[in-house]
Structures are given as structure tokens and as C-alpha cells.
Amino acid sequence: MNVLDFQRMRDQKKKISMVTCYDYWTARIVAESDVDCVLVGDSVAMVMHGYPTTVNATIPMMEMHTAAVARGAGKKFIIADLPFLANRKSLDVAMDAVQTLVQAGAHAIKLEGVTGHEDIIKHIVDSGIPVMGHIGLTLQFVHQLGGFKVQGRDDAGAQRLLEQAKTLEELGCFAIVLECMPPAVAQQITESLHIPTIGIGAGEKTSGQVLVLQDLLGGNKHMSLKFLKTYGHAHDDFLKALNQYNEEVKQVKFPDETHYY
Ligand code: KIV
């Protein structure tokens, strides 16, 4: 897949699947899968580093994880997140961050919001770097949004999201993530745009879907997000394997003669 395939798939009404990925080991498995593309999301700060929100993601953190994913992801198209404030300080800071992430292996970058950094988005696009927009529940704005809340519930909020999406399209974004908004709002945005939308917690009428890998694998036992569907039992499988290993070590069942040199 390359950046042109996003538009082709949207035009042919083929759904786009995207999954987050933060490390070499899982990137190698994703590379073997049929999933279309990979997001090195700033959610890495929460999922892999244990921070409460994504505001703790930094450029060096994103660079390290992007490079690790790029080493394992084979031919998958890789999108990396510009972390907190990287696109808000100055054009130079933003472009240095973009350069860092693209040289680490990203084929495109994603950034949150639009108002106040339109010129930066346009400059990145005009520099030949594909940009994916992201609106709705944008966690880099968590303190302003008042927490993890569904966006666009009232008419004014829905209208704001539609306007943001149209602006991102005009600025040259090749796709937009729509996060946590009523399905009708996501549908209206999707039908109003020419570029594809990728939804998370936004219903099925978007051009594609994205989920956090560890969430979809069932890696977070106590997570209950309404929009989340789990396709595996990673938490339980890991725990079972670890406890079985422990048990066999204690009972001197492992290693046995099949595991000696
Ligand atoms: O960082 C991330 O994982 C994301 C997805 C939720 C879209 O931005």
C-alpha cells in the first residue's frame, strides 16, 4: 500500500484497516497480516510507557518507536504521530520533527486539530510529506476537552467537526482520523469529503477503521470502551504462559532433555 491507495480504496468503496504498532516484534507480525497500514500513534505514551494521556509523548519517543516499527513492518505503509505541541511551537520545530519521523521510517505523519496550525499543515504537505488529519477526541487537547469525551454531540460541535474536516481536506491531507463522535456526524463528514476517513469510536460509515493493537488483541483485561471489539485473549494467554513457565521451573519440568544441548 502507498499513499495513493488510500484514495483508490475510498473511491472503490473498499474499507481501509489501520492498526497501531509501537515496536519491532509486533511490527513483524503485523507485516504478515492483511491489515492495510500501521500507525505509530502517540498513544504509545500510554500503552507502552504507562502515562495517563498522550501529552507525555515526545519527539525522541516517537522517533525510537517509529524506527523500531519500520525495521519490522516490511512493506506496510507507516504513519507516525507528531507528538504534543510539536506542530504548535514554530514551523522550524514542526519541520524538524517531521524530518526526524520520516527519516526514522514513517511514510506519512498524522497530526491533531487544525485551527492555528493551518500554515504548518500546508507547508508539510507542500514539502512532499503526506499528512493525515485527526479530529474529534484528540487527546493532545485532553485538558481543554475536559477529559475523554465523545465530541460533536450537539449541532454546534458537529458543525465544528465538519468545518475542521473540510479545512484539512483543503489543506491537502490525504485522509482524516475521526475519533469518538456520533456515527451520524462521522457519516456526514465522510460523505462531504473526497478524501477517506478512518474512524475509531465513530461508527461504520467511515472509509476505514483504526484500533490500538493491544486493545484489539485483548491485552487490556479491564478496559471497557464501548467502541472496542477484542479479537484475541492476549492478556489471558500471556498470563497463562507465564504461570505455566513458572510452574514448570519450580517443579523442574523445564528444561527437560529435549531442551538441552
Ligand atoms: O495515537 C493513537 O493511537 C491514535 C489513534 C487512536 C487514532 O491517534
Side-chain angles (χ1 to χ4, degrees), residues 188-201:
Q188 193 196 1
I189 293 173
T190 301
E191 288 172 358
S192 306
L193 299 181
H194 300 100
I195 57 172
T197 57
I198 312 282
I200 174 164

Side-chain angles (χ1 to χ4, degrees), residues 18-22 39-45 47 54 62 81 110 112 132 134 137 139-140 177-179 198-200 210-213 227:
M18 182 159 88
V19 70
T20 66
C21 188
Y22 315 117
L39 171 68
V40 187
D42 60 356
S43 53
V44 67
V47 179
T54 59
M62 296 308 299
D81 260 334
K110 174 165 84 56
E112 295 187 1
M132 180 178 271
H134 184 169
L137 175 54
L139 280 189
Q140 291 177 17
V177 169
L178 306 180
E179 181 163 356
I198 312 282
I200 174 164
V210 56
L211 281 178
V212 168
L213 181 68
F227 66 77

Side-chain angles (χ1 to χ4, degrees), residues 244 247-257 259:
Q244 195 171 336
E247 191 64 21
E248 293 194 7
V249 168
K250 303 280 164 61
Q251 294 183 5
V252 201
K253 285 189 178 163
F254 173 82
D256 63 21
E257 68 279 2
H259 302 102

Side-chain angles (χ1 to χ4, degrees), residues 82 85-95 98 109 111 114 116-127 129 131 171:
L82 273 189
L85 298 184
N87 52 313
R88 298 293 303 186
K89 292 180 180 171
S90 69
L91 184 59
D92 281 351
V93 170
M95 292 313 290
V98 170
I109 62 103
L111 50 75
V114 49
H117 52 271
E118 295 91 339
D119 52 336
I120 290 182
I121 297 174
K122 185 156 176 4
H123 192 79
I124 301 170
V125 172
D126 289 346
S127 306
I129 313 299
V131 176
L171 290 169

Side-chain angles (χ1 to χ4, degrees), residues 7-260:
Q7 192 64 49
R8 180 186 55 76
M9 289 178 76
R10 182 252 176 223
D11 293 344
Q12 294 175 353
K13 299 198 182 334
K14 289 188 181 154
K15 294 284 186 184
I16 301 163
S17 59
M18 182 159 88
V19 70
T20 66
C21 188
Y22 315 117
D23 68 282
Y24 171 75
W25 179 58
T26 50
R28 282 181 46 180
I29 302 174
V30 173
E32 283 183 49
S33 77
D34 298 328
V35 168
D36 293 313
C37 56
V38 169
L39 171 68
V40 187
D42 60 356
S43 53
V44 67
M46 301 170 72
V47 179
M48 302 300 278
H49 294 265
Y51 289 110
T53 73
T54 59
V55 303
N56 292 94
T58 61
I59 295 167
M61 185 190 286
M62 296 308 299
E63 178 186 19
M64 187 186 69
H65 288 284
T66 301
V69 169
R71 285 191 288 272
K75 293 198 163 87
K76 294 294 180 201
F77 190 79
I78 301 171
I79 302 126
D81 260 334
L82 273 189
F84 185 58
L85 298 184
N87 52 313
R88 298 293 303 186
K89 292 180 180 171
S90 69
L91 184 59
D92 281 351
V93 170
M95 292 313 290
D96 282 349
V98 170
Q99 181 176 0
T100 299
L101 296 182
V102 172
Q103 289 180 342
H107 305 112
I109 62 103
K110 174 165 84 56
L111 50 75
E112 295 187 1
V114 49
T115 309
H117 52 271
E118 295 91 339
D119 52 336
I120 290 182
I121 297 174
K122 185 156 176 4
H123 192 79
I124 301 170
V125 172
D126 289 346
S127 306
I129 313 299
V131 176
M132 180 178 271
H134 184 169
I135 58 173
L137 175 54
T138 43
L139 280 189
Q140 291 177 17
F141 295 71
V142 64
H143 299 307
Q144 189 177 60
L145 299 178
F148 293 52
K149 294 201 165 102
V150 176
Q151 300 298 303
R153 277 195 192 273
D154 58 12
D155 287 351
Q159 188 56 32
R160 203 160 41 243
L161 290 173
L162 180 61
E163 279 161 19
Q164 288 177 342
K166 284 186 174 166
T167 304
L168 287 169
E169 178 171 84
E170 277 161 23
L171 290 169
C173 288
F174 72 96
I176 305 178
V177 169
L178 306 180
E179 181 163 356
C180 285
M181 62 184 69
V185 177
Q187 179 176 1
Q188 193 196 1
I189 293 173
T190 301
E191 288 172 358
S192 306
L193 299 181
H194 300 100
I195 57 172
T197 57
I198 312 282
I200 174 164
E204 82 284 14
K205 300 288 193 202
T206 51
S207 320
Q209 298 290 329
V210 56
L211 281 178
V212 168
L213 181 68
Q214 285 76 1
D215 295 348
L216 83 86
L217 293 177
N220 297 305
K221 199 169 170 58
H222 304 294
M223 183 172 271
S224 63
L225 295 167
K226 188 165 184 214
F227 66 77
L228 177 63
K229 180 168 177 187
T230 53
Y231 294 85
H233 305 95
H235 173 276
D236 292 350
D237 290 347
F238 269 54
L239 198 57
K240 193 168 150 214
L242 287 168
N243 285 337
Q244 195 171 336
Y245 161 69
N246 173 67
E247 191 64 21
E248 293 194 7
V249 168
K250 303 280 164 61
Q251 294 183 5
V252 201
K253 285 189 178 163
F254 173 82
D256 63 21
E257 68 279 2
T258 63
H259 302 102
Y260 306 152

